[in-house]
Amino acid sequence: MVNFFELPLKELEDIIGGIGKERYRARQLFRWIYKKGVYDFTVMDDIPKSLRNLFRDMFNIETLQLGGSFYSKDGSVKLSFETEDNHLIESVMIPEKNRLTLCVSSQVGCRMACAFCVTGKMGFIRNLTTKEIIGQVIAARDFLKNRGLSPEADKKINGHDTGKDGNQTQRITNIVFMGMGEPMDNLENVIKAIDILKDQNGLDFSKRRITISTVGLLAGLKTLKPGTAGIAISLNAPDDKKRVKIMPINRLYPVRDIIEFVKNYKTSPRERITFEYVMLKDFNDSIEDAKALYELLRGVKCKINLIPFNESPFSEFKTPERDTVNEFHKYLIERFMTVIIRDSRGADVHGACGQLGMSYLMTKNKEKAGK
Ligand code: SF4
C-alpha cells in the first residue's frame, strides 16, 4: 500500500494512470483530501463507488499522530508528534497580525551542530519522509479546525478580542522550514513536500508563502529551481572566524561563498534572500559586529532578520540586552539596510527558534541520571 501523503500530484496521476484509470481522478483525490480535509473514501461522491473502494485498498492515508499541544502565553502553539519508529518531532504555529505561520521540521535531530541550537545537540537521527513533513501541515490544519488557537492568538490575528473561546478556525497562511533539522540536508523529501504544498489542487500555498531556512548548504541550494520557495540563510556572524565557532558547516561553505551565491541568485525584482542573524550576548552583538555585517552585505540584495537568542539549559549563550539589539538594528537601518528584529515566540513551551528538541534532551538526561 502506498501512503497518499508521499505523492506529489504527478506521481499520483502516474499510479492511477498506470492501472488504466483516468488520471484526473488524482486531482479529485487531492481536492478531497487536501482542500476539503476529507479522509473517508466513501464520502467522495464524485468518484464511482468501485473506484473509491479500489483507492481505499491502494492508498494509506495515515499521517502523523499528534502527541501533544502546548499553548504559549504569547499565542503560539507547539505541536509534538511521535513517529512510527517512536521519535519525537515538533512544529510550531505562530500567529501574527494577518498571518499564521507554521514552522515545520524536516529531520529528527540535525547533523549541523550549530552551537546555539538545541536540535543540534540531539545529533542526526534521520530524515523525515515527505509524509511526515506534509503530516505536520495536515495535523496543524486539523488541530485548528477541531481545537483552535488560544483566545490570545485570536486577538493577535484579528486585532481585537472576538470574544470566542479559542474554538474558532484559523487558516495556516505561511510555512517555514525552520523547525528541527536542516531542510537542504533532506532535499528530496523537502522538494516533494513543497510540490504538494504548492499544488493548486492541494494545499495551494504560493511560493511566496513558503520559506526554506538553511545554514547555507550550497550544494542543495544550487539545485533548487528558481521560484521553488523563499530562502533564508542562517548567517549569525559577519566573518568566518566567528561563524565557524558557532556553525561548523562554515568550514565547508565559508561566508564569501554564501555571499557569492546570494549575489548570483536569480530572483524576481521584489524577491530577496533573507539573512538570519541570531544575536548572542557578547559574541556577535556589538557595534563592531554590526559594522562588519554592514560591510559584508553592503550592495547585496537581501533582508536581514535579527533574532535575539532564546536561552536554554543546553547552551552557554545568553540573550543580549534589548538596548544592544536596538542599537545594532539602528546602526543597520541608518545605513539603509532592510532589517527587522524578529523576536522568537513560544519560549515558555520550548517552541522558540533553536529550542526544538528540548523535551528529547530532557528525557535523555533523566534516563542517564536514572542509570
Ligand atoms: S540551527 Fe538548524 S541547522 Fe543548525 S543545528 Fe539547529 S536545526 Fe540544525
Side-chain angles (χ1 to χ4, degrees):
M1 225 184 194
V2 190
N3 190 290
F4 178 84
F5 298 107
E6 287 289 336
L7 303 170
L9 183 62
K10 169 82 175 59
E11 285 185 31
L12 185 63
E13 284 174 341
D14 289 348
I15 291 177
I16 293 177
I19 55 164
K21 306 294 177 193
E22 302 96 339
R23 291 173 70 87
Y24 73 84
R25 300 289 179 198
R27 288 200 298 280
Q28 288 178 305
L29 280 183
F30 252 54
R31 285 199 286 267
W32 277 109
I33 292 172
Y34 287 122
K35 268 216 181 337
K36 299 182 188 168
V38 170
Y39 307 113
D40 179 356
F41 287 103
T42 60
V43 186
M44 302 176 183
D45 56 10
D46 55 357
I47 301 174
K49 196 167 171 210
S50 58
L51 205 49
R52 280 184 248 163
N53 290 340
L54 183 65
F55 289 158
R56 188 196 55 211
D57 295 339
M58 282 175 74
F59 300 116
N60 177 346
I61 46 170
E62 276 166 24
T63 54
L64 283 171
Q65 284 300 319
L66 185 63
S69 53
F70 306 88
Y71 286 94
S72 160
K73 59 181 187 307
D74 66 20
S76 50
V77 184
K78 183 173 82 170
L79 303 177
S80 70
F81 306 91
E82 195 171 336
T83 62
E84 281 160 8
D85 52 350
N86 306 114
H87 293 302
L88 178 87
I89 55 169
E90 296 173 324
S91 319
V92 189
M93 290 190 281
I94 307 153
E96 291 166 285
K97 202 167 178 345
N98 302 324
R99 68 157 77 177
L100 173 53
T101 301
L102 179 69
C103 175
V104 294
S105 295
S106 55
Q107 295 180 319
V108 185
C110 182
R111 68 175 116 231
M112 298 301 134
C114 304
F116 50 85
C117 171
V118 172
T119 312
K121 310 264 183 230
M122 289 171 66
F124 175 72
I125 298 173
R126 70 167 172 82
N127 281 332
L128 293 186
T129 60
T130 306
K131 172 191 92 172
E132 289 166 332
I133 298 171
I134 289 296
Q136 296 170 66
V137 182
I138 296 292
R141 180 186 70 180
D142 294 347
F143 178 88
L144 289 169
K145 197 158 50 175
N146 300 328
R147 299 198 25 206
L149 290 163
S150 64
E152 177 83 15
D154 181 47
K155 256 192 255 177
K156 281 191 185 344
I157 287 179
N158 296 309
H160 62 276
D161 191 345
T162 59
K164 290 183 183 169
D165 62 1
N167 288 328
Q168 74 283 1
T169 302
Q170 302 290 355
R171 198 172 57 83
I172 297 164
T173 59
N174 293 62
I175 304 278
V176 292
F177 284 83
M178 218 175 270
M180 300 164 79
E182 162 56 54
M184 290 294 92
D185 191 32
N186 183 11
L187 201 54
E188 194 184 327
N189 292 321
V190 166
I191 295 301
K192 263 169 84 171
I194 289 177
D195 244 27
I196 296 171
L197 290 171
K198 290 195 328 196
D199 199 295
Q200 289 179 354
N201 295 285
L203 292 162
D204 200 10
F205 285 92
S206 88
K207 65 175 187 194
R208 286 179 298 108
R209 294 194 173 267
I210 302 175
T211 304
I212 296 170
S213 171
T214 170
V215 291
L217 290 192
L218 298 181
L221 282 170
K222 284 177 182 169
T223 67
L224 287 185
K225 287 197 197 120
T228 300
I231 295 174
I233 298 179
S234 194
L235 187 64
N236 307 324
D239 57 49
D240 289 330
K241 209 167 141 214
K242 276 200 178 179
R243 193 167 188 260
V244 80
K245 284 189 186 152
I246 50 171
M247 299 180 71
I249 193 66
N250 196 75
R251 286 193 195 97
L252 200 56
Y253 298 115
V255 171
R256 68 168 179 281
D257 291 2
I258 289 177
I259 301 299
E260 206 47 39
F261 167 79
V262 174
K263 280 184 178 164
N264 293 321
Y265 189 72
K266 299 266 174 295
T267 55
S268 60
R270 284 175 51 211
E271 203 184 340
R272 289 168 192 211
I273 286 184
T274 300
F275 284 111
E276 288 156 354
Y277 192 97
V278 175
M279 294 188 69
L280 306 163
K281 185 176 181 179
D282 299 333
F283 178 77
N284 63 0
D285 63 344
S286 69
I287 285 298
E288 276 62 47
D289 293 311
K291 276 183 194 162
L293 188 63
Y294 169 66
E295 290 302 332
L296 181 71
L297 299 182
R298 187 153 59 148
V300 180
K301 190 179 154 201
C302 67
K303 292 187 281 192
I304 307 166
N305 283 352
L306 300 177
I307 308 168
F309 177 66
N310 284 291
E311 291 179 17
S312 90
F314 298 97
S315 170
E316 70 279 17
F317 290 107
K318 300 278 174 237
T319 309
E321 304 299 332
R322 194 67 203 189
D323 284 352
T324 313
V325 175
N326 290 341
E327 276 166 32
F328 197 105
H329 178 242
K330 188 166 163 261
Y331 182 90
L332 295 172
I333 286 280
E334 284 176 351
R335 281 152 188 83
F336 306 105
M337 307 296 276
T338 307
V339 49
I340 55 169
I341 301 171
R342 278 201 91 85
D343 284 303
S344 197
R345 306 267 300 276
D348 55 338
V349 292
H350 303 150
C353 216
Q355 287 190 328
L356 298 184
M358 192 104 88
S359 322
Y360 170 88
L361 290 182
M362 282 173 165
T363 314
K364 282 273 164 221
N365 279 1
K366 268 192 212 146
E367 281 170 10
K368 263 193 222 155
K371 274 180 193 163

